[in-house]
Amino acid sequence: MDLRQRRTEGLEPLTDERYDAEALEKAMDEIHPSAAALGNSTMEGFLHKYQEQCGGCFPCFKPTWQRRYFILKGQFIFRYASPSGKKPKGTPIPIESMSVSEDNDTIGPDGRRYCFVLSSIRKDFIISAGSADERSAWIRAIRAAKERSIKERMGHLPMSAGDRTANKAGSYLFKQQLDFERQHVMPQGHMAQVEMASFN
């Protein structure tokens, strides 16, 4: 399979007439949208994500807090280095499969506060906001977006073109991560903890 065809899997097929540099660039931008390309988001802003990688074929690293620009759009949370980020940093987080809750315990090497946790069977994300009010706002927004996403998928609500594009990109990148984990045949207990260093 052609590399370009494989990387655009899941997007609108490119016919011979459209299979040129301009069309390919547009398709790749949809797969790896910039922060600006996501358009009007449900919520966005800087947060800190707790990182502790250990397992599989990767060594353990010292736990750290990573500052990322989070954008909640459609069914996913995208992370960027800044509001002008060109490509997502890390695999988009699918909110439909996540539960969200406050974590009032002090977490991490620097005792960071105002944490909340996004949890799924596969992985937990520990995130720190700048204040209790900011944390509450993110939790409300994620829960509301999850409820809306389920209703859209069931056909009870219309889905905007912007959300549809974000969902397509998020689904593609999330599938890439799952395929990577399966190909490396990681132990079941480790799969939930490992995230590719290049995806952080």
Side-chain angles (χ1 to χ4, degrees):
M1 181 182 295
D2 186 276
L3 175 61
R4 293 175 297 181
Q5 182 181 352
R6 183 170 67 250
R7 294 186 69 186
T8 56
E9 180 183 353
L11 297 179
E12 179 185 352
L14 296 177
T15 63
D16 291 340
E17 292 76 14
R18 295 180 57 236
Y19 203 53
D20 54 27
E22 183 179 351
L24 180 59
E25 182 178 356
K26 181 178 182 296
M28 295 307 298
D29 286 344
E30 290 180 353
I31 295 174
H32 300 279
S34 67
L38 289 177
N40 295 328
S41 64
T42 301
M43 189 165 183
E44 59 186 82
F46 279 108
L47 297 168
H48 286 80
K49 180 179 77 74
Y50 187 63
Q51 169 124 346
E52 186 175 14
Q53 293 185 335
C54 186
C57 57
F58 295 100
C60 295
F61 298 98
K62 181 180 179 181
T64 60
W65 287 98
Q66 292 182 326
R67 187 173 186 256
R68 294 288 184 243
Y69 194 77
F70 283 59
I71 298 180
L72 173 58
K73 177 74 172 178
Q75 301 171 0
F76 290 88
I77 297 175
F78 296 83
R79 292 165 285 161
Y80 294 87
S82 70
S84 58
K86 299 301 183 184
K87 289 185 178 181
K89 303 285 286 185
T91 307
I93 303 171
I95 59 174
E96 269 200 38
S97 62
M98 294 283 177
S99 62
V100 57
S101 60
E102 290 188 6
D103 191 324
N104 294 313
D105 295 331
T106 300
I107 301 176
D110 60 354
R112 190 172 292 277
R113 302 172 61 194
Y114 313 122
C115 294
F116 61 96
V117 182
L118 287 167
S119 301
S120 71
I121 295 176
R122 176 178 170 271
K123 186 171 184 177
D124 291 344
F125 295 87
I126 302 173
I127 301 168
S128 173
S131 67
D133 288 343
E134 184 181 29
R135 175 178 62 184
S136 296
W138 271 101
I139 291 175
R140 287 195 302 270
I142 291 169
R143 287 174 175 167
K146 178 178 179 178
E147 181 179 351
R148 184 181 65 250
S149 176
I150 293 172
K151 290 180 178 179
E152 289 174 346
R153 180 167 48 79
M154 297 177 66
H156 299 321
L157 286 176
M159 183 183 300
S160 70
D163 281 358
R164 188 173 293 108
T165 298
N167 292 344
K168 187 181 295 185
S171 296
Y172 179 87
L173 295 173
F174 185 72
K175 181 178 181 298
Q176 273 193 327
Q177 174 67 12
L178 292 181
D179 288 345
F180 170 84
E181 293 174 358
R182 293 190 189 102
Q183 290 168 9
H184 284 74
V185 197
M186 296 179 187
Q188 188 67 27
H190 291 160
M191 280 185 64
Q193 302 177 29
V194 177
E195 185 173 3
M196 289 175 62
S198 62
F199 278 7
N200 292 329

